[in-house]
Amino acid sequence: MATINATINVASADLTSSPLALSNTMIMTKAGTNTGLEFTSGLVRRKLTATTAIDLVTVGAQMYGTPTASVANKIYIKNTGSSSVDYIDVAIGDKDADAGEELLATGGNSKITLGKLFGGDWMLIPFEGSANNDIIVVPSTAEATTIEWMLFFE
Amino acid sequence: MATTTNSLTLTSTDLFDDSLSISNTSTCYKAGTTIGLDQTTGLTRTYLTATTVIDLFPVVKGTTNAVENGKVYIANLSEDETEFVTINIGDAVIGRLYAGDFMWMPWSPRAQHVNDIELAPSVATGMHVEFMAIHNFANIYPTGVDS
């Protein structure tokens, strides 16, 4: 087992009339236990030069192992750029999905978009890893966009 | 405008043979600008006593915020390591947050129901969760019956 700590801080002096200061730390553990997650994809860095949708993280067997579905996996993604205009859309589903936003089927090519990561933005979410739950990214520009991601799994 | 910063540190001394240390800080901007997001649901803390799916952040019919750049924070405050909440966006499962886990993600809701952020506790014995959206959407409201 390993001990992996993640700490988030969200702060603002003027978003509301009273200051916001949120801080939270989690230790990434295996589902239903106090045992730490012990596997990772490593920190992956990719440069994207087209606006084509890609499967950033696919489910099932990978070169770094086979993440178990429906447990306590986590995924971190960052747009390493600095642009406030260019972004990547992050979605769940299949890269070959129709352009339209669809309810995810148990099979077939559909996707649902979570949101956008502009330059410098990051996200940390659980990773379901079941069928048709690939993590997809779609750059907004064909200019080089470099993203980093890392999966922590069991 | 407001200035809201968000930061993440990921550390481990024993996941690898070498140490892991990732640190990021960014500012919550409106899409395509360097103008800060200026609305929030506030940090909501609630106690859930059923395994029913609820909409934390439903998308209001008629509003389209697909081009926007909201942020969502959700935390499972349970101290029982066997308890979790399942987070969905519409019918797509994002994943599980076990006791003590949190998540932070962008949210650009495109359509009613399809892009609702939903949560389902694993037990009906009572679980505290916290959640907050920071956004500039035309309209959202927290907490409701699953739709």
Side-chain angles (χ1 to χ4, degrees), chain A residues 27-144:
Chain A
I27 300 173
M28 296 186 187
T29 56
K30 296 180 182 178
T33 75
N34 288 317
T35 304
L37 292 176
E38 58 184 337
F39 300 127
T40 178
S41 63
L43 184 61
V44 180
R45 184 177 174 93
R46 289 193 63 175
K47 182 183 288 185
L48 307 177
T49 56
T51 57
T52 311
I54 64 160
D55 283 331
L56 187 71
V57 186
T58 52
V59 302
Q62 310 297 323
M63 62 177 291
Y64 49 79
T66 305
T68 304
S70 304
V71 285
N73 309 320
K74 306 286 186 301
I75 181 148
Y76 159 79
I77 307 172
K78 179 185 180 182
N79 180 344
T80 68
S82 58
S83 174
S84 60
V85 177
D86 300 331
Y87 61 87
I88 55 170
D89 266 324
V90 181
I92 293 176
D94 188 289
K95 68 178 177 56
D96 297 320
D98 297 335
E101 203 77 359
E102 301 174 7
L103 291 176
L104 200 70
T106 53
N109 301 326
S110 58
K111 67 172 173 55
I112 295 178
T113 302
L114 301 177
K116 306 175 188 307
L117 293 179
F118 287 86
D121 285 350
W122 59 272
M123 61 190 285
L124 179 66
I125 61 172
F127 176 72
E128 170 68 3
S130 60
N132 210 22
N133 273 67
D134 294 343
I135 302 292
I136 304 160
V137 296
V138 188
S140 66
T141 175
E143 298 291 326

Side-chain angles (χ1 to χ4, degrees), chain A residues 3 5 9 12 76 78 133, chain B residues 3 6-7 11-12 24 93 108:
Chain A
T3 302
N5 295 298
N9 287 287
S12 180
Y76 159 79
K78 179 185 180 182
N133 273 67
Chain B
T3 302
N6 57 90
S7 66
T11 60
S12 180
N24 289 308
V93 180
S108 304

Side-chain angles (χ1 to χ4, degrees), chain B residues 15-76:
Chain B
L15 177 62
F16 304 115
D17 196 32
D18 296 310
S19 294
L20 168 70
S21 180
I22 293 174
S23 182
N24 289 308
T25 298
S26 66
T27 303
C28 298
Y29 290 133
K30 296 178 182 178
T33 75
T34 53
I35 299 170
L37 295 176
D38 53 13
Q39 299 179 65
T40 179
T41 61
L43 183 64
T44 301
R45 180 186 171 103
T46 191
Y47 188 65
L48 302 173
T49 57
T51 57
T52 311
V53 178
I54 64 167
D55 286 342
L56 297 184
F57 304 113
V59 180
V60 178
K61 185 178 182 180
T63 64
T64 301
N65 297 295
V67 299
E68 303 299 351
N69 182 32
K71 304 291 182 187
V72 166
Y73 167 80
I74 305 171
N76 178 353

